[in-house]
Amino acid sequence: MTSESAALLEQARDAARTEAQATARRLVAVGDFMRLRERQHGDREEWVADPWDAISAELAAALRISRALASSYMRDAEILRDRLPKVGACLAAGDINYAMFNVIAHRTALITDENALAAVDAQLALRAPRWPSLTRGRLAMRVDAIVLRVDRDAIRRTNKEVKDRYLNVSVSMSGISEVYGNVFASTAVALDRRLDELAGTVCEADPRTKTQRRADALAALVAGDARMMCTCGDSACIETRGRMRNRNVVIHIVAEQASVDGTGATPGFMAGADELIPSEVVAELAKSATLQPLTVPVAAEPRYTPSTALADFVRSRDLTCRAPGCDQPAMHCDIDHTVPHADGGATHPSNLKCLCRKHHLLKTFWGWRDRQLADGTVIWTLPSGLTYVTSPGSAILFPALTVPTGESRSPSPTADDRCGDRTAMMPTRRRTRAQQRSQRITAERNLNRNDRLVRLRAHTYARAGSDDEPPPF
């Protein structure tokens, strides 16, 4: 029995080492891919959709991850290659895991002197493999102790009270979320009073309890309304007049008519939500929502900008950005012509799709190519030559929205180099990504230095005054 358990533990340990080694190989490959693309693209750091965006989007599609996670891999690849090569070698050997590498990378990010960084890298590579059982907090303290010896202004400091302030919104069950956190006392008092005020703006016949009205008052609060919507059901209720005016927040939910009527079981989809909205909740929300029926367009429109009805259909069909690896809600996306309108592409559902602004720029300026089918399926060919297929988000939930809408009769796109003559149209940044990073590091180092000098002066003054001043009595 002992030999069997030892063998299983050995398998787990070998798997962990192999996982760390595979992670290092992935980061090396990411770093090599970054250098390849940088050589190919040249200097475009001032573009809004800069080389970092183009590379992270390609990685996200290939690895089936988000662009944010792809960006974190890219940062780690740079650190492994340029900043902490010896610590990176420990990861490649499986002597430390990825979590340890991330902590070390974060705690050393403010070191700007190359000699100091090399010294820290060497010491950490020697010591970190002997710290396998440390928690993240204790590991951070060990790393800070080494950083402190070579660069006192490179310690990552945070104000605990500011750091602990937060407000979270998390799903507790389908259609219901929890809102909780720590905020300034003044903010909490103001919020508490405002919820009470809004909860009291309905008539006495409203069937909800005060607790329920306070919860529902958040909807009026975020919409900037002066009163809540009364649910007493009396059309003559004075509290229902002029309600929900001047709203500045709009929440879109796509649902079948039967679910809205309370007779169906198909859940609804809310932009940005992590879960579907149960049909019972859809029916409840429909009582106080603005309902907009969807129709399936069949004819092309004569203008570049689609009508509201056509745009609503495309957004409801797609639900999210249609680029591979992106889940940006369609309500926050551009409506893109697959075959450009200037090249004869029709303003027709079979030639329209949702693209977030970043992927829209990548398609326009970075050589992403796409072909769209009549049911909304999009076939992408990226600069690497790899092909990806994305289906409309409603394909499973609302299949009626993905019924082929007919051919748009758009001409075949001509082969052009969109990274050439059109570059003058690309929006530019005020500061490059590297300049922004340098500014953040310099600002944090200056805060550390000022804080250190203030504490040093206070300590010196206290010691100097202890022998000369009489006791306070």
PDB file of all heavy atoms in Angstrom, residues 72-103:
ATOM      1  N   SER A  72      -0.972  38.592 -21.010  1.00  0.00           N
ATOM      2  CA  SER A  72      -0.187  38.214 -19.833  1.00  0.00           C
ATOM      3  C   SER A  72       0.905  37.221 -20.203  1.00  0.00           C
ATOM      4  O   SER A  72       2.022  37.280 -19.663  1.00  0.00           O
ATOM      5  CB  SER A  72      -1.104  37.627 -18.750  1.00  0.00           C
ATOM      6  OG  SER A  72      -1.575  36.334 -19.107  1.00  0.00           O
ATOM      7  N   TYR A  73       0.615  36.313 -21.131  1.00  0.00           N
ATOM      8  CA  TYR A  73       1.663  35.400 -21.612  1.00  0.00           C
ATOM      9  C   TYR A  73       2.782  36.183 -22.296  1.00  0.00           C
ATOM     10  O   TYR A  73       3.970  35.853 -22.141  1.00  0.00           O
ATOM     11  CB  TYR A  73       1.076  34.392 -22.604  1.00  0.00           C
ATOM     12  CG  TYR A  73       0.201  33.323 -21.991  1.00  0.00           C
ATOM     13  CD1 TYR A  73      -0.604  32.510 -22.790  1.00  0.00           C
ATOM     14  CD2 TYR A  73       0.154  33.119 -20.616  1.00  0.00           C
ATOM     15  CE1 TYR A  73      -1.415  31.524 -22.243  1.00  0.00           C
ATOM     16  CE2 TYR A  73      -0.656  32.145 -20.064  1.00  0.00           C
ATOM     17  CZ  TYR A  73      -1.437  31.353 -20.878  1.00  0.00           C
ATOM     18  OH  TYR A  73      -2.226  30.378 -20.335  1.00  0.00           O
ATOM     19  N   MET A  74       2.416  37.206 -23.049  1.00  0.00           N
ATOM     20  CA  MET A  74       3.427  38.006 -23.733  1.00  0.00           C
ATOM     21  C   MET A  74       4.315  38.750 -22.742  1.00  0.00           C
ATOM     22  O   MET A  74       5.541  38.816 -22.910  1.00  0.00           O
ATOM     23  CB  MET A  74       2.742  38.984 -24.691  1.00  0.00           C
ATOM     24  CG  MET A  74       2.050  38.313 -25.869  1.00  0.00           C
ATOM     25  SD  MET A  74       0.943  39.417 -26.780  1.00  0.00           S
ATOM     26  CE  MET A  74       2.098  40.657 -27.388  1.00  0.00           C
ATOM     27  N   ARG A  75       3.717  39.311 -21.699  1.00  0.00           N
ATOM     28  CA  ARG A  75       4.524  39.999 -20.684  1.00  0.00           C
ATOM     29  C   ARG A  75       5.466  39.017 -20.002  1.00  0.00           C
ATOM     30  O   ARG A  75       6.644  39.317 -19.773  1.00  0.00           O
ATOM     31  CB  ARG A  75       3.601  40.660 -19.648  1.00  0.00           C
ATOM     32  CG  ARG A  75       2.897  41.908 -20.157  1.00  0.00           C
ATOM     33  CD  ARG A  75       2.247  42.672 -19.028  1.00  0.00           C
ATOM     34  NE  ARG A  75       1.177  41.881 -18.400  1.00  0.00           N
ATOM     35  CZ  ARG A  75      -0.085  41.919 -18.774  1.00  0.00           C
ATOM     36  NH1 ARG A  75      -0.451  42.677 -19.792  1.00  0.00           N
ATOM     37  NH2 ARG A  75      -0.990  41.191 -18.161  1.00  0.00           N
ATOM     38  N   ASP A  76       4.952  37.839 -19.670  1.00  0.00           N
ATOM     39  CA  ASP A  76       5.797  36.840 -19.022  1.00  0.00           C
ATOM     40  C   ASP A  76       6.906  36.366 -19.955  1.00  0.00           C
ATOM     41  O   ASP A  76       8.025  36.073 -19.507  1.00  0.00           O
ATOM     42  CB  ASP A  76       4.949  35.652 -18.563  1.00  0.00           C
ATOM     43  CG  ASP A  76       4.060  36.003 -17.380  1.00  0.00           C
ATOM     44  OD1 ASP A  76       4.330  37.019 -16.720  1.00  0.00           O
ATOM     45  OD2 ASP A  76       3.084  35.268 -17.134  1.00  0.00           O
ATOM     46  N   ALA A  77       6.608  36.269 -21.248  1.00  0.00           N
ATOM     47  CA  ALA A  77       7.630  35.856 -22.211  1.00  0.00           C
ATOM     48  C   ALA A  77       8.761  36.881 -22.264  1.00  0.00           C
ATOM     49  O   ALA A  77       9.946  36.515 -22.342  1.00  0.00           O
ATOM     50  CB  ALA A  77       7.008  35.681 -23.597  1.00  0.00           C
ATOM     51  N   GLU A  78       8.419  38.168 -22.218  1.00  0.00           N
ATOM     52  CA  GLU A  78       9.441  39.212 -22.198  1.00  0.00           C
ATOM     53  C   GLU A  78      10.272  39.146 -20.924  1.00  0.00           C
ATOM     54  O   GLU A  78      11.502  39.310 -20.958  1.00  0.00           O
ATOM     55  CB  GLU A  78       8.789  40.588 -22.325  1.00  0.00           C
ATOM     56  CG  GLU A  78       8.234  40.897 -23.701  1.00  0.00           C
ATOM     57  CD  GLU A  78       7.691  42.301 -23.803  1.00  0.00           C
ATOM     58  OE1 GLU A  78       7.266  42.852 -22.755  1.00  0.00           O
ATOM     59  OE2 GLU A  78       7.693  42.865 -24.918  1.00  0.00           O
ATOM     60  N   ILE A  79       9.606  38.898 -19.802  1.00  0.00           N
ATOM     61  CA  ILE A  79      10.323  38.812 -18.526  1.00  0.00           C
ATOM     62  C   ILE A  79      11.268  37.629 -18.528  1.00  0.00           C
ATOM     63  O   ILE A  79      12.430  37.726 -18.106  1.00  0.00           O
ATOM     64  CB  ILE A  79       9.308  38.717 -17.363  1.00  0.00           C
ATOM     65  CG1 ILE A  79       8.542  40.030 -17.227  1.00  0.00           C
ATOM     66  CG2 ILE A  79      10.018  38.373 -16.049  1.00  0.00           C
ATOM     67  CD1 ILE A  79       7.345  39.947 -16.307  1.00  0.00           C
ATOM     68  N   LEU A  80      10.794  36.475 -18.987  1.00  0.00           N
ATOM     69  CA  LEU A  80      11.620  35.271 -19.030  1.00  0.00           C
ATOM     70  C   LEU A  80      12.833  35.473 -19.931  1.00  0.00           C
ATOM     71  O   LEU A  80      13.934  35.030 -19.603  1.00  0.00           O
ATOM     72  CB  LEU A  80      10.773  34.097 -19.501  1.00  0.00           C
ATOM     73  CG  LEU A  80      11.423  32.716 -19.530  1.00  0.00           C
ATOM     74  CD1 LEU A  80      10.413  31.630 -19.180  1.00  0.00           C
ATOM     75  CD2 LEU A  80      12.005  32.421 -20.916  1.00  0.00           C
ATOM     76  N   ARG A  81      12.650  36.151 -21.034  1.00  0.00           N
ATOM     77  CA  ARG A  81      13.734  36.323 -22.003  1.00  0.00           C
ATOM     78  C   ARG A  81      14.689  37.448 -21.625  1.00  0.00           C
ATOM     79  O   ARG A  81      15.909  37.294 -21.736  1.00  0.00           O
ATOM     80  CB  ARG A  81      13.119  36.613 -23.378  1.00  0.00           C
ATOM     81  CG  ARG A  81      14.139  36.802 -24.506  1.00  0.00           C
ATOM     82  CD  ARG A  81      13.427  37.220 -25.778  1.00  0.00           C
ATOM     83  NE  ARG A  81      12.832  38.537 -25.643  1.00  0.00           N
ATOM     84  CZ  ARG A  81      11.898  39.023 -26.443  1.00  0.00           C
ATOM     85  NH1 ARG A  81      11.412  38.273 -27.410  1.00  0.00           N
ATOM     86  NH2 ARG A  81      11.417  40.236 -26.264  1.00  0.00           N
ATOM     87  N   ASP A  82      14.149  38.599 -21.155  1.00  0.00           N
ATOM     88  CA  ASP A  82      14.968  39.803 -21.011  1.00  0.00           C
ATOM     89  C   ASP A  82      15.277  40.193 -19.568  1.00  0.00           C
ATOM     90  O   ASP A  82      16.380  40.682 -19.300  1.00  0.00           O
ATOM     91  CB  ASP A  82      14.271  40.983 -21.704  1.00  0.00           C
ATOM     92  CG  ASP A  82      14.022  40.729 -23.177  1.00  0.00           C
ATOM     93  OD1 ASP A  82      14.860  40.054 -23.801  1.00  0.00           O
ATOM     94  OD2 ASP A  82      12.990  41.195 -23.691  1.00  0.00           O
ATOM     95  N   ARG A  83      14.333  40.001 -18.651  1.00  0.00           N
ATOM     96  CA  ARG A  83      14.526  40.523 -17.300  1.00  0.00           C
ATOM     97  C   ARG A  83      15.046  39.469 -16.322  1.00  0.00           C
ATOM     98  O   ARG A  83      15.941  39.741 -15.523  1.00  0.00           O
ATOM     99  CB  ARG A  83      13.212  41.122 -16.766  1.00  0.00           C
ATOM    100  CG  ARG A  83      12.813  42.419 -17.460  1.00  0.00           C
ATOM    101  CD  ARG A  83      11.537  42.984 -16.867  1.00  0.00           C
ATOM    102  NE  ARG A  83      11.631  43.247 -15.435  1.00  0.00           N
ATOM    103  CZ  ARG A  83      12.157  44.344 -14.908  1.00  0.00           C
ATOM    104  NH1 ARG A  83      12.670  45.290 -15.695  1.00  0.00           N
ATOM    105  NH2 ARG A  83      12.196  44.515 -13.596  1.00  0.00           N
ATOM    106  N   LEU A  84      14.463  38.286 -16.351  1.00  0.00           N
ATOM    107  CA  LEU A  84      14.814  37.252 -15.370  1.00  0.00           C
ATOM    108  C   LEU A  84      15.168  35.941 -16.074  1.00  0.00           C
ATOM    109  O   LEU A  84      14.504  34.917 -15.874  1.00  0.00           O
ATOM    110  CB  LEU A  84      13.647  37.038 -14.396  1.00  0.00           C
ATOM    111  CG  LEU A  84      13.189  38.255 -13.590  1.00  0.00           C
ATOM    112  CD1 LEU A  84      11.898  37.939 -12.837  1.00  0.00           C
ATOM    113  CD2 LEU A  84      14.274  38.710 -12.618  1.00  0.00           C
ATOM    114  N   PRO A  85      16.207  35.922 -16.894  1.00  0.00           N
ATOM    115  CA  PRO A  85      16.524  34.694 -17.629  1.00  0.00           C
ATOM    116  C   PRO A  85      16.917  33.528 -16.733  1.00  0.00           C
ATOM    117  O   PRO A  85      16.633  32.374 -17.065  1.00  0.00           O
ATOM    118  CB  PRO A  85      17.684  35.120 -18.541  1.00  0.00           C
ATOM    119  CG  PRO A  85      18.281  36.322 -17.873  1.00  0.00           C
ATOM    120  CD  PRO A  85      17.133  37.024 -17.224  1.00  0.00           C
ATOM    121  N   LYS A  86      17.570  33.800 -15.608  1.00  0.00           N
ATOM    122  CA  LYS A  86      17.985  32.705 -14.728  1.00  0.00           C
ATOM    123  C   LYS A  86      16.793  32.121 -13.979  1.00  0.00           C
ATOM    124  O   LYS A  86      16.705  30.898 -13.799  1.00  0.00           O
ATOM    125  CB  LYS A  86      19.060  33.193 -13.757  1.00  0.00           C
ATOM    126  CG  LYS A  86      20.370  33.551 -14.446  1.00  0.00           C
ATOM    127  CD  LYS A  86      21.448  33.959 -13.466  1.00  0.00           C
ATOM    128  CE  LYS A  86      22.753  34.265 -14.205  1.00  0.00           C
ATOM    129  NZ  LYS A  86      23.832  34.681 -13.278  1.00  0.00           N
ATOM    130  N   VAL A  87      15.880  32.969 -13.537  1.00  0.00           N
ATOM    131  CA  VAL A  87      14.640  32.466 -12.936  1.00  0.00           C
ATOM    132  C   VAL A  87      13.838  31.719 -13.994  1.00  0.00           C
ATOM    133  O   VAL A  87      13.230  30.676 -13.713  1.00  0.00           O
ATOM    134  CB  VAL A  87      13.816  33.624 -12.340  1.00  0.00           C
ATOM    135  CG1 VAL A  87      12.444  33.131 -11.866  1.00  0.00           C
ATOM    136  CG2 VAL A  87      14.554  34.267 -11.177  1.00  0.00           C
ATOM    137  N   GLY A  88      13.850  32.220 -15.227  1.00  0.00           N
ATOM    138  CA  GLY A  88      13.182  31.518 -16.324  1.00  0.00           C
ATOM    139  C   GLY A  88      13.774  30.148 -16.556  1.00  0.00           C
ATOM    140  O   GLY A  88      13.052  29.192 -16.881  1.00  0.00           O
ATOM    141  N   ALA A  89      15.087  30.014 -16.385  1.00  0.00           N
ATOM    142  CA  ALA A  89      15.726  28.708 -16.534  1.00  0.00           C
ATOM    143  C   ALA A  89      15.242  27.743 -15.461  1.00  0.00           C
ATOM    144  O   ALA A  89      15.112  26.534 -15.705  1.00  0.00           O
ATOM    145  CB  ALA A  89      17.242  28.862 -16.478  1.00  0.00           C
ATOM    146  N   CYS A  90      14.984  28.249 -14.266  1.00  0.00           N
ATOM    147  CA  CYS A  90      14.425  27.401 -13.194  1.00  0.00           C
ATOM    148  C   CYS A  90      13.042  26.891 -13.582  1.00  0.00           C
ATOM    149  O   CYS A  90      12.696  25.738 -13.304  1.00  0.00           O
ATOM    150  CB  CYS A  90      14.348  28.183 -11.883  1.00  0.00           C
ATOM    151  SG  CYS A  90      15.933  28.614 -11.161  1.00  0.00           S
ATOM    152  N   LEU A  91      12.239  27.763 -14.199  1.00  0.00           N
ATOM    153  CA  LEU A  91      10.918  27.340 -14.662  1.00  0.00           C
ATOM    154  C   LEU A  91      11.059  26.295 -15.757  1.00  0.00           C
ATOM    155  O   LEU A  91      10.342  25.284 -15.763  1.00  0.00           O
ATOM    156  CB  LEU A  91      10.137  28.554 -15.167  1.00  0.00           C
ATOM    157  CG  LEU A  91       8.731  28.283 -15.712  1.00  0.00           C
ATOM    158  CD1 LEU A  91       7.805  27.794 -14.600  1.00  0.00           C
ATOM    159  CD2 LEU A  91       8.148  29.544 -16.364  1.00  0.00           C
ATOM    160  N   ALA A  92      11.995  26.507 -16.686  1.00  0.00           N
ATOM    161  CA  ALA A  92      12.190  25.562 -17.789  1.00  0.00           C
ATOM    162  C   ALA A  92      12.662  24.203 -17.288  1.00  0.00           C
ATOM    163  O   ALA A  92      12.356  23.166 -17.906  1.00  0.00           O
ATOM    164  CB  ALA A  92      13.198  26.128 -18.787  1.00  0.00           C
ATOM    165  N   ALA A  93      13.385  24.199 -16.168  1.00  0.00           N
ATOM    166  CA  ALA A  93      13.852  22.937 -15.599  1.00  0.00           C
ATOM    167  C   ALA A  93      12.795  22.271 -14.726  1.00  0.00           C
ATOM    168  O   ALA A  93      12.962  21.118 -14.306  1.00  0.00           O
ATOM    169  CB  ALA A  93      15.121  23.168 -14.781  1.00  0.00           C
ATOM    170  N   GLY A  94      11.705  22.986 -14.438  1.00  0.00           N
ATOM    171  CA  GLY A  94      10.662  22.445 -13.577  1.00  0.00           C
ATOM    172  C   GLY A  94      10.973  22.605 -12.097  1.00  0.00           C
ATOM    173  O   GLY A  94      10.309  21.998 -11.260  1.00  0.00           O
ATOM    174  N   ASP A  95      11.979  23.439 -11.742  1.00  0.00           N
ATOM    175  CA  ASP A  95      12.365  23.618 -10.340  1.00  0.00           C
ATOM    176  C   ASP A  95      11.442  24.582  -9.613  1.00  0.00           C
ATOM    177  O   ASP A  95      11.389  24.585  -8.383  1.00  0.00           O
ATOM    178  CB  ASP A  95      13.809  24.128 -10.260  1.00  0.00           C
ATOM    179  CG  ASP A  95      14.810  23.100 -10.752  1.00  0.00           C
ATOM    180  OD1 ASP A  95      14.490  21.894 -10.695  1.00  0.00           O
ATOM    181  OD2 ASP A  95      15.905  23.490 -11.200  1.00  0.00           O
ATOM    182  N   ILE A  96      10.741  25.441 -10.348  1.00  0.00           N
ATOM    183  CA  ILE A  96       9.699  26.290  -9.770  1.00  0.00           C
ATOM    184  C   ILE A  96       8.480  26.176 -10.670  1.00  0.00           C
ATOM    185  O   ILE A  96       8.589  25.737 -11.825  1.00  0.00           O
ATOM    186  CB  ILE A  96      10.141  27.773  -9.658  1.00  0.00           C
ATOM    187  CG1 ILE A  96      10.396  28.370 -11.050  1.00  0.00           C
ATOM    188  CG2 ILE A  96      11.369  27.909  -8.769  1.00  0.00           C
ATOM    189  CD1 ILE A  96      10.675  29.864 -11.028  1.00  0.00           C
ATOM    190  N   ASN A  97       7.324  26.563 -10.152  1.00  0.00           N
ATOM    191  CA  ASN A  97       6.118  26.493 -10.973  1.00  0.00           C
ATOM    192  C   ASN A  97       5.739  27.881 -11.494  1.00  0.00           C
ATOM    193  O   ASN A  97       6.363  28.889 -11.152  1.00  0.00           O
ATOM    194  CB  ASN A  97       4.961  25.858 -10.191  1.00  0.00           C
ATOM    195  CG  ASN A  97       4.644  26.618  -8.906  1.00  0.00           C
ATOM    196  OD1 ASN A  97       4.731  27.845  -8.852  1.00  0.00           O
ATOM    197  ND2 ASN A  97       4.282  25.881  -7.862  1.00  0.00           N
ATOM    198  N   TYR A  98       4.710  27.906 -12.315  1.00  0.00           N
ATOM    199  CA  TYR A  98       4.315  29.161 -12.969  1.00  0.00           C
ATOM    200  C   TYR A  98       3.831  30.187 -11.953  1.00  0.00           C
ATOM    201  O   TYR A  98       4.072  31.397 -12.104  1.00  0.00           O
ATOM    202  CB  TYR A  98       3.249  28.867 -14.013  1.00  0.00           C
ATOM    203  CG  TYR A  98       2.967  29.984 -14.987  1.00  0.00           C
ATOM    204  CD1 TYR A  98       3.931  30.940 -15.287  1.00  0.00           C
ATOM    205  CD2 TYR A  98       1.733  30.072 -15.636  1.00  0.00           C
ATOM    206  CE1 TYR A  98       3.682  31.946 -16.202  1.00  0.00           C
ATOM    207  CE2 TYR A  98       1.477  31.078 -16.560  1.00  0.00           C
ATOM    208  CZ  TYR A  98       2.452  32.014 -16.831  1.00  0.00           C
ATOM    209  OH  TYR A  98       2.205  33.017 -17.742  1.00  0.00           O
ATOM    210  N   ALA A  99       3.129  29.740 -10.903  1.00  0.00           N
ATOM    211  CA  ALA A  99       2.641  30.676  -9.883  1.00  0.00           C
ATOM    212  C   ALA A  99       3.809  31.385  -9.201  1.00  0.00           C
ATOM    213  O   ALA A  99       3.751  32.599  -8.956  1.00  0.00           O
ATOM    214  CB  ALA A  99       1.797  29.927  -8.859  1.00  0.00           C
ATOM    215  N   MET A 100       4.884  30.650  -8.897  1.00  0.00           N
ATOM    216  CA  MET A 100       6.060  31.267  -8.281  1.00  0.00           C
ATOM    217  C   MET A 100       6.702  32.259  -9.245  1.00  0.00           C
ATOM    218  O   MET A 100       7.122  33.352  -8.847  1.00  0.00           O
ATOM    219  CB  MET A 100       7.069  30.196  -7.872  1.00  0.00           C
ATOM    220  CG  MET A 100       6.610  29.282  -6.754  1.00  0.00           C
ATOM    221  SD  MET A 100       7.880  28.089  -6.283  1.00  0.00           S
ATOM    222  CE  MET A 100       9.116  29.169  -5.537  1.00  0.00           C
ATOM    223  N   PHE A 101       6.792  31.876 -10.498  1.00  0.00           N
ATOM    224  CA  PHE A 101       7.379  32.774 -11.498  1.00  0.00           C
ATOM    225  C   PHE A 101       6.587  34.079 -11.568  1.00  0.00           C
ATOM    226  O   PHE A 101       7.174  35.174 -11.646  1.00  0.00           O
ATOM    227  CB  PHE A 101       7.400  32.082 -12.861  1.00  0.00           C
ATOM    228  CG  PHE A 101       7.956  32.932 -13.965  1.00  0.00           C
ATOM    229  CD1 PHE A 101       9.323  32.997 -14.186  1.00  0.00           C
ATOM    230  CD2 PHE A 101       7.111  33.671 -14.781  1.00  0.00           C
ATOM    231  CE1 PHE A 101       9.840  33.789 -15.199  1.00  0.00           C
ATOM    232  CE2 PHE A 101       7.622  34.460 -15.799  1.00  0.00           C
ATOM    233  CZ  PHE A 101       8.990  34.518 -16.017  1.00  0.00           C
ATOM    234  N   ASN A 102       5.253  33.999 -11.519  1.00  0.00           N
ATOM    235  CA  ASN A 102       4.425  35.195 -11.591  1.00  0.00           C
ATOM    236  C   ASN A 102       4.648  36.110 -10.390  1.00  0.00           C
ATOM    237  O   ASN A 102       4.714  37.335 -10.533  1.00  0.00           O
ATOM    238  CB  ASN A 102       2.944  34.811 -11.679  1.00  0.00           C
ATOM    239  CG  ASN A 102       2.542  34.385 -13.077  1.00  0.00           C
ATOM    240  OD1 ASN A 102       3.044  34.902 -14.056  1.00  0.00           O
ATOM    241  ND2 ASN A 102       1.651  33.421 -13.183  1.00  0.00           N
ATOM    242  N   VAL A 103       4.736  35.533  -9.198  1.00  0.00           N
ATOM    243  CA  VAL A 103       4.981  36.340  -8.004  1.00  0.00           C
ATOM    244  C   VAL A 103       6.331  37.040  -8.112  1.00  0.00           C
ATOM    245  O   VAL A 103       6.463  38.242  -7.847  1.00  0.00           O
ATOM    246  CB  VAL A 103       4.923  35.474  -6.726  1.00  0.00           C
ATOM    247  CG1 VAL A 103       5.380  36.278  -5.510  1.00  0.00           C
ATOM    248  CG2 VAL A 103       3.508  34.955  -6.507  1.00  0.00           C
TER     249      VAL A 103
END
